[in-house]
Amino acid sequence: MDALLVVHFLTRPFGDNHSLGTSISDCLELINERWVLEMSHELREGNKCMDHLANLAQDLALGVVLPHTPPMSILSLLQ
């Protein structure tokens, strides 16, 4: 799903029968937990590291992955 679409879902009202309603509600519930955050859309050309990580994530199984070191393929972008 495109990141701009996600920002749209999380910052605008949605119908009760929306197909992603449960997921959107769960996200909004987490967002409303006294966190201070700002949602915005960054063009992938503006953030090459995040774009690279998002592309790597396409090949992973569902779930949370917390790497302890950056993937070797991103090191040139970090320098």
Side-chain angles (χ1 to χ4, degrees), residues 42 44 46-56 74 77:
E42 179 72 34
R44 73 179 62 154
N47 194 336
K48 292 185 185 294
C49 289
M50 287 306 298
D51 184 50
H52 183 73
L53 291 173
N55 289 332
L56 290 176
I74 203 171
L77 295 173

Side-chain angles (χ1 to χ4, degrees), residues 10 14 20-32:
L10 297 177
F14 62 95
L20 296 174
T22 301
S23 296
I24 295 169
S25 293
D26 289 347
C27 289
L28 291 172
E29 191 174 307
L30 286 171
I31 289 168
N32 290 323

Side-chain angles (χ1 to χ4, degrees), residues 1-58:
M1 179 178 300
D2 182 76
L4 183 57
L5 186 58
V6 172
V7 171
H8 175 80
F9 282 145
L10 297 177
T11 57
R12 292 178 176 77
F14 62 95
D16 291 337
N17 59 352
H18 192 284
S19 62
L20 296 174
T22 301
S23 296
I24 295 169
S25 293
D26 289 347
C27 289
L28 291 172
E29 191 174 307
L30 286 171
I31 289 168
N32 290 323
E33 294 271 334
R34 297 184 188 176
W35 299 32
V36 177
L37 45 104
E38 177 183 324
M39 284 196 229
S40 63
H41 180 258
E42 179 72 34
L43 294 174
R44 73 179 62 154
E45 294 82 10
N47 194 336
K48 292 185 185 294
C49 289
M50 287 306 298
D51 184 50
H52 183 73
L53 291 173
N55 289 332
L56 290 176
Q58 296 296 316

